[in-house]
Amino acid sequence: MNAKKTLRLNPEDNIVVAIADLPAGSAVEGEIVTRARVPRGHKTASRFIATGEPIRKFGQVIGFASTDIEPGDWVHEKNVTMGEDFDRDYAFASEARPPEGPRTDETPAFFEGYKRADGRAGTRNYIGILSSVNCSATVVDYVADEINRSGILDDYPGIDGIVPLPHGQGCGMAGRGEAFDVLSRTQWGYASHPNFAAVLLVGLGCEVFQIPRMKDTYGIAEGDHFQSLTIQEIGGTRKAVEAGVARIREMLPFAARSKREPISASELTLALQCGGSDGYSGLTANPALGFAADMLVRQGGTAILSETPEIYGAEHLLTRRAESAEVGQKIVDLIHWWEDYTSRNGGEMNNNPSPGNKAGGLTTILEKSLGAVAKGGTSTLRGVYRYAERIDRKGFVYMDTPGYDPVAATGQVAGGANVLCFTTGRGSAYGCKPVPSIKLATNNELYARMTDDMDINCGDVIDGVPLEVKGREIFEAILAISSGKPSKSELLGYGRNEFVPWQIGAVM
Amino acid sequence: MNAKKTLRLNPEDNIVVAIADLPAGSAVEGEIVTRARVPRGHKTASRFIATGEPIRKFGQVIGFASTDIEPGDWVHEKNVTMGEDFDRDYAFASEARPPEGPRTDETPAFFEGYKRADGRAGTRNYIGILSSVNCSATVVDYVADEINRSGILDDYPGIDGIVPLPHGQGCGMAGRGEAFDVLSRTQWGYASHPNFAAVLLVGLGCEVFQIPRMKDTYGIAEGDHFQSLTIQEIGGTRKAVEAGVARIREMLPFAARSKREPISASELTLALQCGGSDGYSGLTANPALGFAADMLVRQGGTAILSETPEIYGAEHLLTRRAESAEVGQKIVDLIHWWEDYTSRNGGEMNNNPSPGNKAGGLTTILEKSLGAVAKGGTSTLRGVYRYAERIDRKGFVYMDTPGYDPVAATGQVAGGANVLCFTTGRGSAYGCKPVPSIKLATNNELYARMTDDMDINCGDVIDGVPLEVKGREIFEAILAISSGKPSKSELLGYGRNEFVPWQIGAVM
Ligand SMILES: [Ca+2]
Ligand SMILES: [Ca+2]
Ligand SMILES: [Ca+2]
Ligand SMILES: [Ca+2]
Ligand SMILES: [Ca+2]
């Protein structure tokens, strides 16, 4: 597009990023020219920065000037410090803002979705088949296969399909405690997900994860929305498949009664994901997605940032954006939980920039973590949730998850996400059911190489497409795909293997 | 069959088990009658036991007489003690015996199997498709589906099928340490399994579990036996499926060259499993399977006992049976490892009989754990292996696994098990690929209720079928099914969902 050699990530930034190797004397912005060589991916000052002043990237603090920095200077380790106590000062809620609402140039946004009995909105109209334990996974698959083979779904064009969600857990675990609670929340989050018109839960019978107990815990009554059966009670695999098929057939007319209707974008809950990041992630797709997330939040919708190991080191930026000290403290608590979790499993939390990261232009842990945080935009943090916990606040929220893609997304979907955006630089093939997943390529080369898997190319941000324009494109795609347009991973049929609940405890 | 009301589990036992409530004065064995009421499932003395003498069940010590016990006495807490130091005395190798060889009434046994290039024997002739990470699970499924749909397998009747083995791990983990090693051993164990004529390994590309590193670790050269590809390198989902299908098509003529031929039963490696145990497990299916395991060991074959949480408390009986102090010490070490593993994950090891167990007739932790250990027979312990480690000793061996069925079996199969026997009382629907699984019902009612899932009924042991006769029936079934007769779970098609590697570490 144009020949711009630097990228401005936020209007408030006092640096821009070189998107090519810049010899000394290269044009930066306005009158400014580089005063030294600035390697590709590195930062140059876009105005004078006095000693001690914060360096801002993505509009957020990534460090402080350790010396006066002139416009056009290369900004890196020699003139940036993390500041004495900045990373120990949570400054809870110091940057919180009241909810904004749409800007004057923005009109209320809608999508075509399904209104569910519990008040939430669906973006798809599936019937789900869950397994309480790996021991019933194959029956779950077979019920779905037999319904699909029967051709009966041809009579129900308003049903998007049957989604079997086998998994590897459900027994060989303690019947109480953290690991059990995580699995319970995940199963209930899926069983009650607004993208399912109805759900069948199949168990073996003697597993630790008991269906009657789950029904009791969440007050689930069997009926049109929810049915269950166990292989042991019903007399084996064949009879369980037959019974499951019969139950699904009974659910079809009920499920087919759901119709799409216009619903405010405030009912969208967007899961933010990244996987297979590269040097472009923090420059193109992540900040573009951040713009889209901010747009959705202004529309009254919800955006969920997650992947705690990848935001580690930038948590005190989230505490500043928290709406209250209580919300901020939850971020601090989960960081401490993670330090314990990794250390008692023989690992450690460490998101420090590696020598390779530094060579690529990442100066501080803040800057590295912000590359991931950027996809959450800049809105005030309204809530912090445990893995798979039901999201009950609008606006920008945080859910604790691992960074591992299928596990992270499973938690967000269990929490109620009804649309998902996934940025990738190396090329992820991820796709989810029952929630449409929109994949954003961080670079042109990936988009060209894996076009069948990629929904949106954000690589052209480097060619001059403004981040805000790209953000609007993503937001429009969110509305269109939430309204029924299939995403690339849906066209490919992904989602039967990608339900992976977080296994936290000992397998016994 | 007959009206016997007690069950003798081993010729050396000084107790028998009541298989019905016995009023005082009921016939026991020979002249002996019960001297008090003996509830169903409880023990009565079949001869005089002096104070301090061991109580033997399954031929093994379950405790000591705390007072003189008369023939026909009810043997339970009031007259049994665990002994002062018995459970702290490992008495390494004190009961080890030299290898026995077939008894005079036993002839050398054979099965029809596949001789593989590495010297091991296969019981099936599959082509496997493995995924390095969950991110390539769907491609793995699609390649198998497309080959199956194409009908090309009709031209290769000598190939048992295409086995896709997706799973949930492979990224979001440390690239070194215990968890990584466990996954590596598991993947390599499957990739090199003698039941696969050839294997295709599909990756995403950027995952922690790198295919090139695995090839390097195990010295794998690509060729007829092993091929790999990554989705990122090849350009996305569609191209990866196409390429995978092409690779499998190339493998078919090679795989079809393998033919069954008579092979000594010494090349069988039997995985011992139980799941959904009940009050009959320790009386019928487990000891019957123990007889079969002993027969196989006498034939020079291998039997793998596993499921450490379920043998906990009986480990000092295994240390006595160990062939050497080194082998015995490995049992002790892994018990300590488990105590640490569960405690750092907020749980504990505890296999003590519950009040319900005691009411059912289980007096001591030894007796409870021996119910599970019984399926390993009485042979000398020749080796102790880590999860998924290659079994390189013949005879009776131990592999450390959790008790959770799919995870336990996955480790045993990775170690080289080529046939599996699974006892169940509540009714398991488990089935494995690539290894045939033989399911043994512990009671008549289960066998009748889940006949489609059960291969052998051991419930008739209660009706008078001697354990040794039942053991011989199991041994014959092992030979027949290893020779190609399909097991019930194979007829049902199980195995695509049941590959569940043990996830030990933190998910990050
Ligand atoms: Ca990420
Ligand atoms: Ca991720
Ligand atoms: Ca068991
Ligand atoms: Ca088990
Ligand atoms: Ca599957």
Side-chain angles (χ1 to χ4, degrees):
Chain A
M1 300 202 26
N2 67 25
K4 258 182 85 177
K5 292 285 191 292
T6 60
L7 180 65
R8 166 166 292 279
L9 290 160
N10 190 285
E12 292 174 34
D13 289 355
N14 48 18
I15 56 93
V16 293
V17 178
I19 55 181
D21 283 332
L22 302 183
S26 303
V28 176
E29 276 189 343
E31 308 287 284
I32 300 166
V33 295
T34 50
R35 285 157 46 91
R37 181 177 167 276
V38 180
R40 178 164 169 274
H42 285 243
K43 299 169 290 295
T44 182
S46 58
R47 65 165 180 77
F48 175 78
I49 310 172
T51 307
E53 220 184 311
I55 315 288
R56 286 196 178 264
K57 186 180 176 183
F58 308 108
Q60 303 193 50
V61 179
I62 60 160
F64 298 86
S66 59
T67 174
D68 285 358
I69 300 176
E70 298 295 327
D73 269 352
W74 179 27
V75 177
H76 203 26
E77 292 181 88
K78 68 180 189 318
N79 50 18
V80 178
T81 166
M82 273 288 285
E84 269 302 283
D85 289 315
F86 180 73
D87 62 345
R88 282 187 290 275
D89 179 6
Y90 292 122
F92 290 126
S94 58
E95 293 177 22
R97 293 180 311 236
E100 293 181 60
R103 294 193 315 214
T104 48
D105 61 335
E106 292 170 337
T107 52
F110 292 87
F111 72 105
E112 296 282 322
Y114 299 91
K115 286 193 178 151
R116 300 301 186 190
D118 69 356
R120 292 189 296 170
T123 61
R124 293 292 180 271
N125 193 44
Y126 287 113
I127 291 176
I129 314 181
L130 306 182
S131 66
S132 60
V133 62
N134 182 261
C135 311
S136 50
T138 292
V139 166
V140 156
D141 265 355
Y142 286 180
V143 172
D145 289 344
E146 191 161 323
I147 291 282
N148 287 333
R149 261 197 311 269
S150 73
I152 193 174
L153 292 179
D154 296 347
D155 302 338
Y156 297 97
I159 297 175
D160 289 316
I162 306 295
V163 178
L165 294 173
H167 62 89
Q169 299 188 47
C171 205
M173 65 192 299
R176 59 195 164 80
E178 194 166 51
F180 188 87
D181 293 344
V182 161
L183 183 59
S184 291
R185 290 199 299 269
T186 306
Q187 294 274 39
W188 169 237
Y190 272 72
S192 62
H193 196 281
N195 282 10
F196 286 132
V199 160
L200 172 68
L201 175 58
V202 180
L204 175 61
C206 59
E207 61 271 26
V208 169
F209 193 86
Q210 284 288 303
I211 295 177
R213 181 171 162 197
M214 172 173 161
K215 286 163 61 179
D216 197 51
T217 302
Y218 296 103
I220 309 169
E222 306 234 347
D224 289 334
H225 289 87
F226 182 90
Q227 295 269 315
S228 71
L229 61 89
T230 71
I231 297 170
Q232 287 172 352
E233 222 166 3
I234 223 144
T237 300
R238 284 214 170 90
K239 286 177 192 157
V241 174
E242 267 169 42
V245 167
R247 303 278 186 98
I248 299 288
R249 282 176 172 268
E250 285 167 21
M251 287 172 169
L252 292 170
F254 168 77
R257 284 206 289 274
S258 301
K259 305 285 177 206
R260 288 194 185 271
E261 56 189 302
I263 298 178
S264 162
S266 65
E267 296 304 316
L268 288 176
T269 300
L270 171 64
L272 305 165
Q273 276 288 326
C274 60
S277 300
D278 70 353
Y280 292 101
S281 300
L283 303 179
T284 61
N286 285 2
L289 179 52
F291 274 95
D294 283 343
M295 285 180 76
L296 181 61
V297 168
R298 286 195 299 271
Q299 292 284 346
T302 305
I304 315 170
L305 183 70
S306 293
E307 304 186 305
T308 310
E310 291 172 31
I311 65 111
Y312 189 71
E315 64 272 13
H316 38 296
L317 294 175
L318 290 170
T319 56
R320 281 160 191 259
R321 284 164 66 182
E323 67 167 21
S324 67
E326 289 88 326
V327 168
Q329 184 60 43
K330 286 186 178 182
I331 290 278
V332 176
D333 291 345
L334 68 87
I335 290 291
H336 291 154
W337 184 91
W338 269 87
E339 286 167 342
D340 174 61
Y341 172 59
T342 49
S343 90
R344 72 184 138 88
N345 282 289
E348 58 168 340
M349 294 292 280
N350 176 8
N351 205 19
N352 286 314
S354 63
N357 289 149
K358 288 191 176 172
L362 297 178
T363 306
T364 65
I365 188 171
L366 278 176
E367 185 177 7
K368 182 178 174 186
S369 298
L370 274 171
V373 171
K375 62 190 182 295
T378 58
S379 306
T380 296
L381 179 69
R382 301 287 168 196
V384 175
Y385 294 86
R386 292 171 300 165
Y387 182 86
E389 195 176 6
R390 174 75 64 91
I391 304 288
D392 58 3
R393 291 291 308 266
K394 302 282 189 184
F396 173 62
V397 300
Y398 191 85
M399 176 183 282
D400 180 34
T401 74
Y404 184 34
D405 306 333
V407 175
T410 294
Q412 294 174 315
V413 169
N418 51 14
V419 60
L420 186 152
C421 280
F422 189 123
T423 69
T424 180
R426 304 286 298 279
S428 164
Y430 177 80
C432 177
K433 276 182 182 142
V435 170
S437 313
I438 304 169
K439 289 218 293 300
L440 314 178
T442 69
N443 65 82
N444 297 328
E445 188 273 325
L446 167 63
Y447 185 77
R449 188 162 40 87
M450 288 180 59
T451 307
D452 288 344
D453 292 270
M454 297 297 139
D455 294 277
I456 296 178
N457 178 23
C458 298
D460 52 11
V461 165
I462 294 294
D463 307 324
V465 174
L467 282 168
E468 191 158 357
V469 170
K470 190 50 66 176
R472 219 170 298 132
E473 180 187 342
I474 296 168
F475 182 72
E476 294 301 329
I478 290 170
L479 294 179
I481 288 175
S482 296
S483 300
K485 182 188 167 192
S487 71
K488 290 290 181 75
S489 67
E490 288 180 305
L491 290 172
L492 291 167
Y494 273 88
R496 276 174 90 140
N497 284 299
E498 290 75 12
F499 175 61
V500 186
W502 187 7
Q503 187 228 292
I504 285 188
V507 181
M508 291 185 294
Chain B
M1 303 205 18
N2 66 26
K4 257 181 84 174
K5 291 287 192 294
T6 59
L7 180 65
R8 166 166 293 280
L9 291 159
N10 192 283
E12 292 176 35
D13 290 355
N14 48 18
I15 55 96
V16 293
V17 178
I19 55 182
D21 283 332
L22 302 184
S26 304
V28 176
E29 276 190 343
E31 307 287 282
I32 299 167
V33 295
T34 51
R35 286 159 46 93
R37 182 177 166 274
V38 180
R40 180 164 168 273
H42 286 243
K43 300 171 288 297
T44 182
S46 58
R47 65 165 179 79
F48 175 78
I49 309 171
T51 307
E53 219 185 315
I55 315 287
R56 286 198 180 262
K57 185 179 178 185
F58 308 109
Q60 303 193 47
V61 179
I62 61 159
F64 298 86
S66 60
T67 174
D68 282 0
I69 299 175
E70 298 296 328
D73 270 351
W74 178 28
V75 177
H76 203 27
E77 292 180 271
K78 68 179 187 322
N79 50 16
V80 178
T81 167
M82 273 289 284
E84 267 303 283
D85 288 315
F86 180 75
D87 62 345
R88 282 187 290 277
D89 180 6
Y90 293 122
F92 292 124
S94 58
E95 296 178 20
R97 293 179 309 235
E100 294 180 61
R103 294 193 314 215
T104 48
D105 61 335
E106 292 170 338
T107 51
F110 293 85
F111 71 106
E112 297 282 322
Y114 300 91
K115 286 194 177 151
R116 301 300 187 190
D118 69 355
R120 292 189 295 169
T123 61
R124 293 292 180 271
N125 194 43
Y126 287 113
I127 292 177
I129 315 181
L130 306 182
S131 66
S132 60
V133 63
N134 181 262
C135 311
S136 50
T138 291
V139 167
V140 155
D141 265 354
Y142 286 180
V143 172
D145 289 343
E146 192 161 323
I147 291 282
N148 287 333
R149 260 197 311 268
S150 73
I152 192 172
L153 292 179
D154 295 346
D155 302 338
Y156 297 96
I159 297 176
D160 289 314
I162 306 294
V163 178
L165 293 173
H167 63 89
Q169 297 188 49
C171 204
M173 66 191 299
R176 58 194 165 80
E178 194 168 50
F180 188 87
D181 292 344
V182 161
L183 184 60
S184 292
R185 290 200 299 269
T186 306
Q187 294 273 37
W188 168 237
Y190 273 71
S192 61
H193 196 280
N195 283 9
F196 286 132
V199 160
L200 172 67
L201 175 58
V202 180
L204 176 61
C206 59
E207 61 272 26
V208 168
F209 193 86
Q210 285 286 302
I211 295 176
R213 181 173 162 198
M214 171 174 162
K215 287 163 59 179
D216 198 50
T217 302
Y218 296 102
I220 309 169
E222 305 233 346
D224 288 333
H225 290 86
F226 181 90
Q227 295 269 315
S228 71
L229 61 88
T230 70
I231 297 171
Q232 287 172 353
E233 224 166 2
I234 224 145
T237 300
R238 284 214 171 88
K239 286 177 191 158
V241 173
E242 269 169 40
V245 167
R247 303 279 187 97
I248 299 289
R249 282 175 170 269
E250 285 167 20
M251 287 172 169
L252 292 170
F254 168 77
R257 284 205 290 275
S258 302
K259 305 284 177 207
R260 287 194 185 272
E261 57 189 301
I263 299 177
S264 161
S266 64
E267 297 305 316
L268 288 176
T269 300
L270 170 64
L272 305 165
Q273 276 288 324
C274 60
S277 301
D278 70 352
Y280 293 100
S281 300
L283 303 179
T284 62
N286 285 2
L289 180 53
F291 275 94
D294 281 345
M295 285 181 75
L296 180 61
V297 167
R298 286 195 298 271
Q299 291 285 346
T302 306
I304 315 171
L305 182 70
S306 293
E307 307 188 299
T308 310
E310 291 172 33
I311 65 112
Y312 189 71
E315 65 272 13
H316 38 297
L317 294 176
L318 290 170
T319 57
R320 282 161 189 258
R321 285 165 65 182
E323 68 166 21
S324 67
E326 289 88 327
V327 167
Q329 184 61 43
K330 286 185 178 181
I331 290 277
V332 176
D333 291 346
L334 66 87
I335 290 290
H336 292 155
W337 183 91
W338 268 88
E339 286 166 342
D340 174 61
Y341 172 60
T342 49
S343 90
R344 71 184 138 89
N345 283 290
E348 59 169 338
M349 294 292 279
N350 177 7
N351 205 21
N352 286 315
S354 63
N357 290 147
K358 289 192 177 175
L362 297 178
T363 307
T364 65
I365 189 171
L366 278 175
E367 185 177 9
K368 181 177 175 188
S369 298
L370 274 173
V373 171
K375 62 190 183 294
T378 58
S379 306
T380 297
L381 179 69
R382 300 288 169 195
V384 175
Y385 294 86
R386 292 171 300 165
Y387 183 86
E389 196 175 4
R390 175 76 64 91
I391 304 288
D392 58 2
R393 291 290 308 266
K394 303 281 190 184
F396 172 62
V397 300
Y398 190 85
M399 176 182 282
D400 180 35
T401 74
Y404 185 35
D405 306 332
V407 174
T410 294
Q412 294 174 316
V413 169
N418 51 13
V419 60
L420 187 151
C421 280
F422 189 123
T423 69
T424 181
R426 305 286 299 278
S428 164
Y430 177 80
C432 176
K433 277 182 182 144
V435 170
S437 314
I438 303 170
K439 290 218 294 298
L440 313 179
T442 69
N443 64 82
N444 296 328
E445 188 276 322
L446 168 62
Y447 185 76
R449 188 162 40 87
M450 289 179 59
T451 307
D452 288 345
D453 293 87
M454 296 298 138
D455 293 279
I456 295 178
N457 179 25
C458 297
D460 53 10
V461 166
I462 294 293
D463 307 324
V465 174
L467 283 167
E468 191 158 359
V469 171
K470 190 49 68 174
R472 219 170 298 132
E473 179 187 341
I474 296 169
F475 182 72
E476 294 302 328
I478 290 170
L479 295 180
I481 288 177
S482 296
S483 299
K485 181 189 167 191
S487 71
K488 291 288 180 77
S489 67
E490 288 180 306
L491 290 172
L492 291 167
Y494 273 87
R496 277 174 90 140
N497 284 300
E498 290 75 11
F499 175 61
V500 186
W502 188 7
Q503 187 227 291
I504 284 188
V507 181
M508 291 184 294

